């Protein structure tokens, strides 16, 4: 989605009583935007029909579980718009999109999928379960350094 389209949709929502306004995405630092966009690009891919099991709110939590970085629901919705994903019903508070996970949990055995669910591991991930993405870790480090005045801290992924 172009910035112009993003601004247009945000303007349309300005005239509603919409909660979790996606314009909050603009309050993120550039490091936070880069990390969030990288994650969306790696964890999510377009699909012919909407994923009704995973809303914008659930996707936000998948991002947080993998990166250990907090974003608000509104910020995540804005990031999805910037990434080019349109909500199926923009009037709803939690949005659904025509998406699917890049690494589909259905490819795992029933036992592994059940363990992942019990452990509350994210369905949408930037890498297959059990693997780490060094680029995500690097981006997370940059976000943490920007929050802590330039100091670098390790993150367990």
């Amino acid at each position: 989605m172009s910035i112009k389209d993003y601004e247009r949709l945000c303007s349309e929502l300005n005239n509603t009583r919409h909660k979790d306004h996606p314009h909050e995405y603009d309050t993120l630092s550039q490091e936070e935007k880069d990390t969030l966009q990288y994650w969306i690009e790696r964890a999510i891919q377009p699909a012919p029909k909407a994923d009704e099991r995973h809303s914008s709110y659930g996707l936000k939590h998948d991002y947080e579980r993998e990166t250990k970085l907090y974003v608000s629901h509104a910020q995540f919705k804005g990031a999805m718009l910037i990434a080019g994903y349109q909500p199926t019903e923009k009037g709803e508070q939690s949005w659904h999109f025509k998406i699917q996970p890049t690494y589909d949990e259905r490819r795992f055995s029933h036992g592994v999928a059940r363990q992942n669910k019990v452990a509350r591991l994210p369905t949408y991930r930037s890498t297959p379960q059990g693997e780490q993405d060094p680029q995500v870790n690097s981006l997370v480090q940059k976000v943490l350094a920007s929050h802590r005045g330039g100091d670098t801290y390790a993150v367990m992924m």
Side-chain angles (χ1 to χ4, degrees):
M1 167 178 276
S2 71
I3 296 296
K4 185 177 177 182
D5 290 337
Y6 166 75
E7 292 294 336
R8 180 189 47 75
L9 182 56
C10 286
S11 291
E12 289 173 15
L13 293 173
N14 282 342
N15 300 324
T16 68
R17 299 177 121 186
H18 197 272
K19 291 184 180 179
D20 299 324
H21 197 290
H23 214 291
E24 287 297 311
Y25 174 78
D26 298 335
T27 66
L28 293 172
S29 70
Q30 190 58 50
E31 293 87 0
E32 291 168 316
K33 289 177 182 177
D34 292 347
T35 305
L36 185 49
Q37 288 302 322
Y38 178 87
W39 185 87
I40 290 170
E41 186 178 303
R42 297 300 185 288
I44 298 170
Q45 61 184 337
K49 62 181 185 171
D51 182 347
E52 296 297 333
R53 295 183 329 148
H54 298 93
S55 69
S56 53
Y57 191 71
L59 292 167
K60 153 203 152 38
H61 284 293
D62 281 353
Y63 170 77
E64 290 173 347
R65 279 191 285 273
E66 185 173 354
T67 66
K68 309 298 186 264
L69 297 175
Y70 173 81
V71 293
S72 72
H73 185 209
Q75 291 165 334
F76 191 88
K77 288 164 63 172
M80 288 295 285
L81 292 175
I82 292 292
Y85 295 101
Q86 293 283 327
T88 55
E89 294 288 331
K90 67 182 176 190
E92 298 292 321
Q93 182 173 0
S94 290
W95 290 349
H96 290 89
F97 305 92
K98 292 182 178 181
I99 58 170
Q100 61 189 8
T102 301
Y103 300 101
D104 195 343
E105 66 183 2
R106 290 175 288 185
R107 291 188 279 172
F108 299 124
S109 71
H110 178 70
V112 169
R114 182 163 167 27
Q115 284 177 334
N116 289 349
K117 188 171 185 174
V118 168
R120 299 190 73 202
L121 295 174
T123 300
Y124 283 82
R125 299 183 47 83
S126 69
T127 60
Q129 189 63 45
E131 295 181 22
Q132 291 186 5
D133 184 339
Q135 183 64 24
V136 165
N137 194 27
S138 175
L139 289 165
V140 168
Q141 292 299 324
K142 288 179 183 177
V143 169
L144 294 174
S146 73
H147 288 190
R148 294 185 174 93
D151 295 334
T152 304
Y153 294 84
V155 175
M156 296 300 294
M157 306 275 273

